[in-house]
Amino acid sequence: MKKSFPNFGPIFLLLLTLGLNPFFSCTEKEKTPSPIFTHDINAGKTPWTKEAFDNDSEKFSFAIHSDLTGGERPRIYEVAVAQLNLMRPELIVNVGDLIEGGAPDSASWTQQWDSFDSRTEAAKAPVFYTGGNHDLTGNFAQGIWKERYGKNYYHFIYKNTLFLILDSEDHGKERNDEIEKIRNEGIRVLDEQGREAYSQTEYANLPERSFGNISEEQLNYFLGVLQKNPEVKWTFLMMHKPMWENPENERFFKLEEALKGRNYTVFNGHTHTFRFLERNGMDYINLATTGGVQNNSMGRSMDHFLWVTVDAKGVSIANLLMEGILDKSGHIPLEGDTLVFEKK
């Protein structure tokens, strides 16, 4: 069957020849985007400082929160999520110890993770998880993590900014089993005899407990990520334990060596104390808590999160105390005015 087409006439053909769509038209005014700033002062001085706005299209801000564990203090984390919703970061990252863990049965782990997940889902921004020792010590804990969340170390890129999420409990399968048994005994002593007796246990004095580790496989993964992404604006490393404090942690030092020549910042938790360190000319920031038991023996211990802004010029970092983030009525969200956010 021969196909026939409607006869649109010479005007239609002329429009096509000129590259104009005869069915859709748009005025010049509609094509021009609206200006972002207007005013009615046409001459003379103006009562403002500049018209170069801090609105780089590549600029973004994200938040980092820290430990909930060691005896989570009620309602702190829920308030933190509500406060972050007021501030509207583009994404949220944490540095581990999100649940207490420790229990020998999977039902308890499921309940703990369900509780954390349900509270985290209230966040408007996406939240990226980092595992800590409470979350990932031993093959049992790591198996639950992988079943629920997949990879225990990973990376992502957002607006040409590279995020490396490390697992500082990656000691290898055999050593993981050993540490899990030692930890379970340490937790039993803590629960039955208290912190003084716990401080004498094998687990309390393990190097891995203080510093953590990464496997050769994890090291090679991140070396490959760095090699494939040499031109990012900035690189952020999120981890739970301060692995650089162990003088024998050769694999982490190899990762640091691979970072030379690029701009990066390291964030960790674990100590429940805020500490700032400049290492290799870069910032290493140890967050305190966002609901975890507080420890001011090594420095300031407070509930807080970091507010990090990235643009073409670099990075700025603000420390935000939860006790100072109020809603429009002048109160801490979720009736949090009665909560204590810092151990004096």
Side-chain angles (χ1 to χ4, degrees):
M1 180 183 294
K2 186 176 180 180
K3 294 184 180 180
S4 62
F5 297 92
N7 183 7
F8 290 108
I11 295 178
F12 179 85
L13 295 175
L14 175 63
L15 289 173
L16 290 179
T17 303
L18 295 174
L20 301 176
N21 190 324
F23 297 115
F24 301 99
S25 64
C26 182
T27 67
E28 191 65 32
K29 183 177 180 182
E30 289 173 326
K31 291 180 180 179
T32 305
S34 299
I36 60 172
F37 175 63
T38 62
H39 57 85
D40 63 356
I41 301 175
N42 297 318
K45 295 184 180 298
T46 55
W48 52 80
T49 63
K50 64 184 71 174
E51 295 182 12
F53 290 89
D54 189 10
N55 62 350
D56 184 339
S57 61
E58 289 299 302
K59 185 179 76 169
F60 71 97
S61 295
F62 68 95
I64 310 171
H65 77 76
S66 190
D67 300 48
L68 279 69
T69 59
E72 183 180 351
R73 291 149 44 237
R75 298 182 54 224
I76 303 293
Y77 181 62
E78 291 91 320
V79 169
V81 171
Q83 290 174 321
L84 288 170
N85 284 343
L86 291 175
M87 302 185 65
R88 304 295 295 272
E90 294 191 32
L91 60 97
I92 301 167
V93 194
N94 54 55
V95 288
D97 273 9
L98 310 176
I99 65 168
E100 293 294 338
D105 62 291
S106 58
S108 176
W109 285 79
T110 298
Q111 185 276 326
Q112 291 180 56
W113 278 122
D114 285 349
S115 172
F116 180 78
D117 289 344
S118 65
R119 292 177 289 162
T120 301
E121 285 171 3
K124 293 179 179 179
V127 180
F128 293 83
Y129 290 13
T130 302
N133 54 289
H134 282 256
D135 314 313
L136 288 174
T137 293
N139 295 313
F140 178 74
Q142 295 219 355
I144 291 174
W145 176 285
K146 289 175 182 177
E147 183 178 319
R148 293 183 70 108
Y149 310 116
K151 295 195 67 173
N152 49 327
Y153 57 86
Y154 59 99
H155 81 283
F156 64 93
I157 297 173
Y158 183 74
K159 293 188 176 179
N160 199 32
T161 301
L162 176 62
F163 291 78
L164 307 182
I165 315 297
L166 280 68
D167 170 15
S168 59
E169 303 306 310
D170 188 8
H171 309 289
K173 183 173 175 56
E174 184 176 341
R175 185 57 177 162
N176 279 348
D177 280 336
E178 295 172 353
I179 294 173
E180 182 177 0
K181 292 177 183 177
I182 296 169
R183 181 181 187 272
N184 289 344
E185 174 61 18
I187 297 302
R188 184 192 67 78
V189 172
L190 176 64
D191 292 341
E192 295 178 3
Q193 301 178 42
R195 290 195 173 275
E196 186 173 344
Y198 166 75
S199 66
Q200 305 302 314
T201 63
E202 183 179 0
Y203 179 66
N205 294 282
L206 275 182
E208 291 97 334
R209 180 193 173 278
S210 297
F211 308 125
N213 206 350
I214 58 173
S215 65
E216 193 74 24
E217 180 182 358
Q218 184 176 169
L219 169 63
N220 290 334
Y221 170 78
F222 286 118
L223 292 178
V225 170
L226 293 174
Q227 187 175 19
K228 291 176 184 177
N229 299 280
E231 302 298 331
V232 293
K233 285 187 296 190
W234 208 273
T235 300
F236 293 109
L237 284 76
M238 321 299 301
M239 67 193 72
H240 186 62
K241 290 177 178 174
M243 290 188 278
W244 57 92
E245 292 186 359
N246 181 359
E248 298 180 0
N249 200 336
E250 293 298 328
R251 285 190 286 270
F252 183 76
F253 298 148
K254 288 180 181 178
L255 182 58
E256 283 186 313
E257 185 69 25
L259 288 162
K260 287 184 177 179
R262 67 169 66 207
N263 293 315
Y264 71 92
T265 308
V266 176
F267 301 102
N268 74 286
H270 188 56
T271 68
H272 296 213
T273 303
F274 181 81
R275 296 186 292 174
F276 173 84
L277 171 69
E278 187 174 300
R279 176 179 168 85
N280 301 326
M282 299 294 163
D283 294 339
Y284 285 53
I285 300 178
N286 189 151
L287 284 77
T289 58
T290 312
V293 65
Q294 293 188 324
N295 167 32
N296 59 3
S297 62
M298 295 184 291
R300 189 168 184 177
S301 186
M302 69 279 198
D303 291 314
H304 70 129
F305 37 81
L306 297 184
W307 188 266
V308 185
T309 300
V310 183
D311 65 11
K313 297 178 181 178
V315 169
S316 61
I317 301 173
N319 230 314
L320 305 181
L321 300 181
M322 286 183 61
E323 63 183 285
I325 301 172
L326 313 181
D327 63 19
K328 64 183 180 182
S329 70
H331 295 282
I332 295 173
L334 300 184
E335 300 181 347
D337 295 296
T338 61
L339 298 175
V340 177
F341 296 101
E342 182 168 359
K343 183 176 182 178
K344 303 297 185 180

